[in-house]
Amino acid sequence: MESCKRYVLLALLFSFVHNISSSVTHYSIPEELKEGSVVANLATDLSLDVTTLTKRKMRLDIIANKKYLDVNKETGELYIIEKIDREYICTTKWSSSCYLKLEVTLENPVRIFNIELEVLDMNDNAPQFRRDVIHLDISEATPKGERFSLSNAVDPDVGTNSVKTYHLSESEYFNIEVQTGRDGSKFADLILRKPLDREKQAVHNLILTAVDGGTPARSGTASVIVQVLDTNDNAPTFDKSIYTVEIMENSPIGSLVIDLSAIDLDEGSNSDLTYSYSLYTSEKTQETFNLNSATGEITVKGMLNYEDFKIYDMEVIATDKGANSLSGQCTIKILVEDMNDNHPEISIKSFQSPVNENIELDTVIAVVSVSDKDSGDNGVVDLHIPQNMPFKLRESSDNYYQLVVSQPLDREKVPEYDITFTVTDRGSPPLSDNETMTLELLDVNDNVPQFPQSFYTIRVMENNAPGALLSSLTAFDPDLHENQYLVYFILEKEIANTSMSMLFSINPENGNLYALKTFDYEIEKEFLFHIEARDSGSPPLSSNVTVHIIIVDQNDNAPVIVSPWRAHGSVVEEKIPRSTDKGSLVAKVIALDTDSVHNSRITYQFLQVTDATLFSLDQYNGEIRTMRMFSYRDPRHQRLVVVAKDNGDPALSATVTIKLSTVETAVKAYSDMTEVPLEYDIFSDLNLYLVIGLGSVSFLLLITILVTIVLKCQKPKPSKAAPPSRNSVISERNSTVADSTLVSNDAYWYSLFLAETRKGKLVVRQPVPKGSRYIVSSIPRGTGLTETSDSAASTLQVGDTFVDLTSKVFLTVYTSCLLSDGLKLNIGLRNLQIFLNYRCLGCNFEQMQTGNGPAITSLYAGKFSGVFS
């Protein structure tokens, strides 16, 4: 503000001086004064009455410019109404002075005053470049010291406030030199200090600063961008001189192997590269790989096979497109990696088939070689066979294996083996191959014929038809051909001077067993023999089986009434006292059946009875007892018809008629009864029989003594028990008797006696040396003793007195004579009961029960008691 006042005072002083010399009033003011600033008091300077200014219509006119100033009519002051910009008013810089011409007009009277207002410059503008960025293109081949003109900066201010100098940012390649133009303007030249290298620095960014001379100084800047122009001074280069690339074999065509990228530091066409194979690259490599000349990509062109080529070498050249083209090259080594693409191979060098099943262990059956074209683990192979086979592999040499027998072979279990050789490599994933060979086994005769059973039990119904098929005894031989052709034989064995081949026949081809005769259960109950099956091998093998033929009984024998004994068709007459008590035994019916146990089980029933309330019949033991005492109303004669029926199907039966007569008197003493005459004269020709019996007994006694002496003198040797013959009977103590009504062993001996006697034979029980066993002999009629067997303990206790052999033989001979002559015994029940307490020839019969069947034996012994007495 003080500076402004100073300028106004100077202007007034100048104006005063000027008014003296001229009529133009001059004022000087700096530019950019604020609005309202007072320039001068015109009323005072022009000697005008302030009070009359309004009346005289004082006005201010600015010539050729807009109105920047105005006059306050009340005070007469000239003030600024709008900032004055000198550079706007005075656009030219050829003159350093800048004036505004003003006219002040007054009326009444009219008066015009000329006023010149000089606008003084102030440093209010900074230097400014016409372009903020200055681009320069300089070739990298430009020598140092070369000058390059830069656009100068412009400062609207004048004088010292205009551009005074230039400054350049620090650079090792450039500096500037400030030049002064004819008009006094300042400009700068860019000077190259050292050669440029575009590859090192393609662009140089510089800052050019223009500074004026004002106080304070103002400046302006511009960016100078120096673009270094390229020249083809760099050859293409690869980052490596040798490239090593690994690629898997069997890579698909078009697969990228390597993307070559050569570097050319030049630009433009100088850096545009083309790629090509050098002359040192083989045709095989060029056929296998494709090189893209523009991009440098190498791709697979042909099939890669590691087994054919493992390494490919190539040389690639990169050439730029500059005027003077430059090139660079590199070597590429392509390693083909093995891929597990080849299956292992098996080659059967030798295979022996067929072989005998009895081949020795460790015998070589086959020789196998394996191979794999791959390498590394892919080419390492393992050979194996199924583990459940009797063979093993033995490595003989490199990749050669022998197949040997590790276990015995048996064609009958496994006739042939499908041996699968499997070879597997160790690649990932592993590949494998296999080959199957069939090993056939030849049969040897190493198996004996085998029967399904070791023991056959065949049941044959008696009365069979001759030639009937009994069974099929078929053996099996697992061998082949002649080794399995079987022939069947019956091993000869004689039973009772009869060969088995006379009783049975077997088909030698199929083993069918036939009966050659009709069997009778009552004569033959079983047969035991062996059958042999023999193959046709060399040497032949055979095996045998035991056959047990059991004759099954049929109900073909009717029961036979043996007690009370009577002639055929006759009636048994018995007398009993009328005073018999209730429950007394009247009679006992005993029947025998030669059939088997089941068919020979006999039951008794009344077929006819005079008075059913008087008698009862036990259906199991045949005892007839009184159910009550006789009364005077009961008839004297009772007729009883008893039927004995077996248990067969259909059942067979026999009947006996008993005529009972009741008497008033008691039964006579036993001694009288023994004198009762028989119906027949049983003592006829007795002398002849006695002589024969005594002679036989004496002869047998002599033989027995001689045999005993010989046995005593000989050293005792263990002997095997002879098998029982058909006509021998083995009786153990407490054994079960066939007939259910005969329980005791004496009854069994008795039934045997009757059965053998009917066949015309005599049965004799003889004690063995220890006295605990008996020899039960069956003697055919008229021929003497034929068969003897050692039986089990008889029914008599060890302590009992045995029958003398001489008396026993005499008794049996005599009895046989009586029976053969048709002797008919008819002795009453009372005689039988009395005789049960009689001891015959030292034999103790006291404990015998009448219900167990020894009545006839006791009866016979009683009949002969008169003779011995």
Side-chain angles (χ1 to χ4, degrees):
M1 190 66 186
E2 292 179 354
S3 62
C4 290
K5 288 180 179 181
R6 185 171 61 252
Y7 285 124
V8 171
L9 291 176
L10 291 175
L12 289 175
L13 178 60
F14 177 76
S15 176
F16 176 74
V17 176
H18 184 70
N19 285 334
I20 295 177
S21 61
S22 177
S23 59
V24 177
T25 302
H26 294 273
Y27 293 99
S28 296
I29 62 171
E31 63 177 334
E32 302 292 337
L33 286 179
K34 293 183 180 180
E35 295 176 359
S37 299
V38 176
V39 176
N41 194 321
L42 293 179
T44 300
D45 295 336
L46 295 178
S47 302
L48 296 176
D49 187 4
V50 176
T51 59
T52 63
L53 295 178
T54 304
K55 293 179 180 181
R56 296 183 67 180
K57 298 180 183 179
M58 184 179 181
R59 66 178 182 274
L60 178 67
D61 295 324
I62 300 177
I63 299 174
N65 279 292
K66 64 180 182 178
K67 192 174 183 178
Y68 291 101
L69 300 97
D70 199 1
V71 178
N72 190 340
K73 294 178 181 182
E74 293 180 353
T75 60
E77 293 176 345
L78 180 65
Y79 63 94
I80 296 175
I81 61 175
E82 185 179 349
K83 285 184 178 183
I84 300 174
D85 186 1
R86 179 188 177 281
E87 289 75 26
Y88 179 76
I89 297 172
C90 301
T91 58
T92 61
K93 297 186 64 179
W94 58 269
S95 177
S96 60
S97 300
C98 181
Y99 296 94
L100 284 176
K101 291 182 177 181
L102 307 175
E103 287 183 352
V104 177
T105 303
L106 294 173
E107 295 180 359
N108 297 321
V110 175
R111 192 175 176 180
I112 300 174
F113 298 92
N114 293 320
I115 300 173
E116 288 184 351
L117 180 63
E118 181 180 6
V119 180
L120 301 177
D121 181 44
M122 296 190 66
N123 193 21
D124 59 343
N125 291 285
Q128 186 176 2
F129 290 92
R130 294 184 179 90
R131 291 179 297 176
D132 293 334
V133 179
I134 302 173
H135 291 279
L136 292 177
D137 292 334
I138 303 175
S139 173
E140 63 177 335
T142 303
K144 70 177 182 177
E146 189 74 21
R147 290 174 176 267
F148 300 93
S149 296
L150 299 176
S151 62
N152 59 328
V154 176
D155 192 337
D157 296 328
V158 293
T160 60
N161 293 331
S162 63
V163 177
K164 181 179 181 181
T165 186
Y166 292 91
H167 300 287
L168 183 67
S169 61
E170 185 178 358
S171 172
E172 63 174 321
Y173 291 96
F174 298 96
N175 60 10
I176 60 172
E177 183 177 323
V178 179
Q179 301 288 336
T180 302
R182 291 179 182 179
D183 57 357
S185 61
K186 301 289 183 180
F187 60 90
D189 288 338
L190 184 65
I191 301 174
L192 182 63
R193 295 174 59 183
K194 58 185 286 188
L196 298 176
D197 190 350
R198 192 201 65 81
E199 288 72 34
K200 290 183 178 179
Q201 189 171 355
V203 177
H204 295 267
N205 293 314
L206 306 175
I207 302 297
L208 179 63
T209 303
V211 182
D212 62 17
T215 303
R218 291 178 178 270
S219 62
T221 60
S223 294
V224 180
I225 299 176
V226 178
Q227 187 77 31
V228 181
L229 299 180
D230 181 54
T231 59
N232 193 20
D233 58 345
N234 291 280
T237 59
F238 294 90
D239 55 354
K240 295 180 181 179
S241 60
I242 298 177
Y243 292 88
T244 301
V245 182
E246 295 180 352
I247 186 172
M248 295 296 296
E249 68 170 328
N250 299 327
S251 294
I253 295 177
S255 299
L256 179 65
V257 178
I258 188 173
D259 186 3
L260 289 177
S261 180
I263 298 175
D264 193 328
L265 299 178
D266 298 326
E267 65 178 0
S269 61
N270 296 328
S271 63
D272 292 340
L273 305 178
T274 57
Y275 299 89
S276 62
Y277 289 118
S278 71
L279 298 176
Y280 298 102
T281 304
S282 66
E283 292 184 2
K284 175 64 177 178
T285 302
Q286 296 184 37
E287 291 174 357
T288 307
F289 299 96
N290 179 57
L291 174 62
N292 189 317
S293 61
T295 62
E297 290 183 349
I298 298 178
T299 56
V300 177
K301 183 179 180 181
M303 185 61 64
L304 297 176
N305 192 348
Y306 174 84
E307 290 71 34
D308 295 338
F309 282 89
K310 298 177 177 60
I311 300 176
Y312 292 88
D313 291 319
M314 62 180 67
E315 192 175 84
V316 176
I317 299 176
T319 306
D320 60 26
K321 296 181 180 179
N324 297 317
S325 60
L326 301 176
S327 62
Q329 64 184 19
C330 69
T331 301
I332 303 173
K333 179 175 291 186
I334 299 177
L335 305 178
V336 180
E337 288 187 353
D338 183 37
M339 182 179 181
N340 195 20
D341 59 339
N342 290 284
H343 288 264
E345 296 179 356
I346 302 175
S347 177
I348 307 297
K349 300 301 181 181
S350 173
F351 189 80
Q352 182 180 357
S353 178
V355 297
N356 291 330
E357 62 176 322
N358 61 346
I359 187 172
E360 295 182 358
L361 298 181
D362 289 335
T363 302
V364 178
I365 300 297
V367 177
V368 182
S369 67
V370 294
S371 61
D372 194 325
K373 294 180 180 179
D374 294 323
S375 63
D377 289 341
N378 297 332
V380 178
V381 294
D382 299 309
L383 181 67
H384 58 274
I385 60 175
Q387 296 182 354
N388 56 349
M389 287 191 171
F391 307 100
K392 66 179 180 181
L393 289 171
R394 186 170 60 198
E395 187 172 3
S396 59
S397 60
D398 188 19
N399 291 335
Y400 276 83
Y401 295 85
Q402 292 178 345
L403 179 69
V404 297
V405 180
S406 61
Q407 299 176 15
L409 305 181
D410 190 349
R411 189 208 60 80
E412 288 70 36
K413 293 181 179 178
V414 182
E416 64 180 20
Y417 291 91
D418 291 330
I419 306 173
T420 301
F421 297 93
T422 303
V423 59
T424 306
D425 61 25
R426 299 182 184 177
S428 179
L431 299 178
S432 62
D433 193 12
N434 60 73
E435 186 165 346
T436 301
M437 303 295 292
T438 300
L439 176 64
E440 298 180 0
L441 301 182
L442 297 177
D443 182 55
V444 295
N445 193 24
D446 58 345
N447 290 276
V448 298
Q450 296 290 332
F451 287 92
Q453 301 172 219
S454 61
F455 189 89
Y456 285 88
T457 299
I458 303 174
R459 299 181 180 275
V460 179
M461 192 68 69
E462 67 172 331
N463 302 320
N464 59 292
L469 176 64
L470 303 183
S471 179
S472 180
L473 308 178
T474 303
F476 172 74
D477 193 327
D479 292 327
L480 291 179
H481 308 305
E482 67 275 1
N483 295 331
Q484 72 171 169
Y485 297 149
L486 303 181
V487 180
Y488 299 89
F489 305 92
I490 296 178
L491 298 181
E492 289 297 333
K493 179 182 179 181
E494 291 188 359
I495 298 179
N497 298 325
T498 302
S499 173
M500 285 293 103
S501 60
M502 299 178 63
L503 301 177
F504 303 98
S505 173
I506 189 169
N507 190 319
E509 296 181 356
N510 56 25
N512 289 341
L513 183 65
Y514 300 93
L516 298 180
K517 59 169 289 186
T518 301
F519 298 107
D520 188 354
Y521 173 80
E522 288 72 32
I523 299 176
E524 299 120 343
K525 292 181 174 55
E526 62 181 10
F527 299 95
L528 195 67
F529 56 92
H530 300 284
I531 290 179
E532 179 181 294
R534 182 184 304 164
D535 60 27
S536 302
S538 179
L541 301 177
S542 64
S543 65
N544 58 67
V545 67
T546 302
V547 180
H548 184 200
I549 304 293
I550 298 177
I551 308 301
V552 180
D553 180 49
Q554 284 185 331
N555 195 24
D556 57 346
N557 292 283
V560 176
I561 305 296
V562 298
S563 177
W565 190 89
R566 85 278 186 221
H568 181 69
S570 62
V571 177
V572 178
E573 294 184 358
E574 296 289 344
K575 292 181 179 181
I576 59 174
R578 292 185 69 83
S579 60
T580 302
D581 295 332
K582 175 183 177 181
S584 298
L585 181 62
V586 177
K588 180 178 179 64
V589 179
I590 298 176
L592 294 179
D593 194 327
T594 58
D595 290 325
S596 65
V597 176
H598 179 75
N599 294 326
S600 65
R601 190 172 294 115
I602 297 175
T603 57
Y604 302 91
Q605 296 177 355
F606 278 129
L607 189 60
Q608 293 179 7
V609 60
T610 303
D611 189 350
T613 64
L614 185 57
F615 301 101
S616 65
L617 174 62
D618 190 310
Q619 63 175 340
Y620 297 111
N621 58 22
E623 291 182 350
I624 302 175
R625 296 182 180 273
T626 57
M627 296 175 60
R628 59 181 176 82
M629 296 185 65
F630 288 94
S631 65
Y632 66 92
R633 293 189 183 90
D634 296 327
R636 287 185 175 276
H637 300 285
Q638 299 287 336
R639 188 172 184 273
L640 306 177
V641 179
V642 178
V643 60
K645 185 184 299 183
D646 61 20
N647 198 36
D649 185 21
L652 302 179
S653 62
T655 60
V656 61
T657 302
I658 301 175
K659 183 177 180 182
L660 295 177
S661 300
T662 59
V663 296
E664 297 295 338
T665 59
V667 183
K668 296 183 180 180
Y670 174 75
S671 59
D672 295 336
M673 291 301 295
T674 57
E675 300 296 333
V676 176
L678 296 174
E679 183 178 356
Y680 297 96
D681 187 5
I682 63 175
F683 297 107
S684 301
D685 300 326
L686 181 59
N687 294 333
L688 179 60
Y689 295 141
L690 288 176
V691 172
I692 295 173
L694 291 176
S696 300
V697 168
S698 301
F699 178 73
L700 291 176
L701 179 60
L702 181 59
I703 292 176
T704 301
I705 294 173
L706 293 176
V707 170
T708 302
I709 294 173
V710 172
L711 293 177
K712 290 295 183 179
C713 295
Q714 287 182 349
K715 184 178 180 179
K717 295 181 180 179
S719 59
K720 297 181 180 179
S725 63
R726 292 184 301 166
N727 301 324
S728 299
V729 179
I730 301 175
S731 174
E732 297 280 350
R733 182 177 296 274
N734 299 326
S735 62
T736 304
V737 185
D739 191 348
S740 63
T741 61
L742 303 179
V743 179
S744 70
N745 292 327
D746 287 327
Y748 175 73
W749 186 88
Y750 161 71
S751 61
L752 175 64
F753 171 78
L754 292 180
E756 295 298 318
T757 303
R758 284 198 303 271
K759 297 175 184 178
K761 299 178 182 180
L762 298 180
V763 178
V764 179
R765 290 194 299 178
Q766 304 174 14
V768 296
K770 291 185 179 181
S772 61
R773 293 177 176 267
Y774 299 94
I775 298 178
V776 181
S777 301
S778 175
I779 306 175
R781 184 176 179 182
T783 61
L785 299 175
T786 59
E787 295 184 49
T788 304
S789 66
D790 188 8
S791 69
S794 180
T795 57
L796 295 180
Q797 301 296 329
V798 178
D800 292 340
T801 304
F802 296 102
V803 181
D804 179 74
L805 180 60
T806 305
S807 303
K808 196 69 174 181
V809 173
F810 176 78
L811 175 62
T812 53
V813 171
Y814 187 66
T815 304
S816 177
C817 294
L818 293 178
L819 292 177
S820 63
D821 289 340
L823 178 62
K824 296 181 180 180
L825 302 178
N826 185 11
I827 304 175
L829 180 60
R830 289 168 294 177
N831 299 30
L832 180 62
Q833 291 176 335
I834 294 172
F835 185 70
L836 287 176
N837 294 326
Y838 182 77
R839 296 180 181 268
C840 175
L841 299 177
C843 298
N844 187 4
F845 293 92
E846 289 181 350
Q847 301 300 326
M848 291 185 180
Q849 299 178 1
T850 58
N852 292 337
I856 297 301
T857 306
S858 301
L859 178 63
Y860 291 157
K863 287 300 179 180
F864 296 128
S865 61
V867 178
F868 297 131
S869 61

